[in-house]
Amino acid sequence: MPTTLAEVEQRVLRWWHPLAALALLAGLYFVSKHLGLRGDLAELRAWIDAWDYWAPLVFVAIYVPLTMLGFPGSVLTAAAGAMFGALLGVGVSLVASSVAATASFLVARYVLRDWMMRHIGRSRRFAQINRLSRDHGPVMVVTTRLIHVLPFWVVNYGFGITQVRLKTYVMWSLVGKLPGTIVLVVGVDAIYQALMRGEVPWGLVILVLATSAGVALTVRHLNQRLRADVEAAAHESEEEAGEGR
């Protein structure tokens, strides 16, 4: 997990975040159209419909163990858009990711904690992350979720050995996952509708762009808060060291 996120800020898409999201959607649309995936997507929706009310539970049952073992959660989240559409897809993805995040967090805290602490527990970097997680748990969790620099499973297991409370982690992890889930699920559903109907669903596209812009602004604000705290802590440490001399 990033320390102050200062080094990550340069990688985060800022004001051109919506443009990047639009370019990604357009690229996926043309690739899908070129590869002739229209029929495959229609068959996928038909297969999901055959499961009826059990389909969301099947998706969650697949999502949780795979992501706990390191499979990219973003791939499965995007797939939810093709399977369930925008509204249900977002809901199912959030439930699945919350269950997976909670389970991984608990495994790290109560099963793997000693092993993980032997490997990273003594590093200064972890000590600083642990302090930030204790003092600014919600901000750390939300920011780490929004920037998507580290894999989903790494974040889950990593926070499990910090001092973040389970309730704080689950709640703010859900908040942090919401924007990215909207972008992926709604974006894929927009592509699906464009392929099936032959016209762009601009309402969904605008929602994706607005969410992307909101993520960029939120990450920048949260990063500034964490950086200010770290700089203040470093200043206090220097003063204490000076007094000790």
Side-chain angles (χ1 to χ4, degrees):
M1 284 170 287
T3 304
T4 66
L5 303 180
E7 69 276 12
V8 174
E9 186 183 7
Q10 299 303 320
R11 308 177 198 175
V12 175
L13 304 178
R14 297 181 185 173
W15 58 269
W16 48 279
H17 195 287
L19 297 181
L22 182 61
L24 178 61
L25 290 180
L28 289 175
Y29 169 75
F30 286 112
V31 168
S32 300
K33 189 173 183 179
H34 179 71
L35 294 178
L37 298 182
R38 186 168 181 257
D40 296 332
L41 290 174
E43 291 179 4
L44 178 61
R45 282 281 176 99
W47 181 76
I48 289 296
D49 291 340
W51 281 93
D52 201 17
Y53 295 110
W54 292 100
L57 293 178
V58 172
F59 179 82
V60 173
I62 294 173
Y63 188 106
V64 173
L66 283 182
T67 53
M68 289 183 68
L69 292 174
F71 190 85
S74 58
V75 174
L76 295 174
T77 299
M83 294 178 181
F84 302 105
L87 185 59
L88 182 58
V90 169
V92 172
S93 296
L94 287 177
V95 170
S97 63
S98 295
V99 173
T102 303
S104 301
F105 182 95
L106 292 173
V107 168
R109 176 153 296 183
Y110 297 108
V111 179
L112 301 177
R113 182 179 178 82
D114 292 341
W115 179 83
M116 294 177 69
M117 289 298 290
R118 282 198 300 271
H119 287 78
I120 65 175
R122 296 180 179 179
S123 68
R124 292 180 59 187
R125 189 178 186 84
F126 174 76
Q128 191 173 38
I129 291 173
N130 198 24
R131 183 187 65 79
L132 285 172
S133 298
R134 180 194 65 211
D135 298 339
H136 305 282
V139 176
M140 281 291 289
V141 174
V142 170
T143 307
T144 307
R145 284 297 186 214
L146 288 175
I147 60 178
H148 295 292
V149 171
L150 295 176
F152 178 67
W153 65 275
V154 172
V155 174
N156 293 331
Y157 288 116
F159 270 111
I161 61 172
T162 66
Q163 297 185 55
V164 171
R165 297 173 58 187
L166 174 61
K167 181 179 179 180
T168 299
Y169 182 68
V170 173
M171 181 175 66
W172 290 103
S173 182
L174 177 63
V175 172
K177 283 286 293 181
L178 179 59
T181 300
I182 291 175
V183 170
L184 282 175
V185 174
V186 176
V188 170
D189 186 41
I191 294 172
Y192 173 85
Q193 292 190 31
L195 289 172
M196 295 298 114
R197 301 174 183 176
E199 58 183 24
V200 179
W202 287 110
L204 297 182
V205 173
I206 292 173
L207 177 58
V208 170
L209 299 181
T211 304
S212 300
V215 168
L217 293 174
T218 302
V219 168
R220 187 170 180 80
H221 172 70
L222 294 177
N223 183 40
Q224 290 173 346
R225 286 188 57 183
L226 284 177
R227 183 187 299 175
D229 178 78
V230 171
E231 290 176 352
H235 182 67
E236 291 177 2
S237 297
E238 291 177 357
E239 289 182 346
E240 291 177 358
E243 292 175 359
R245 295 184 189 133

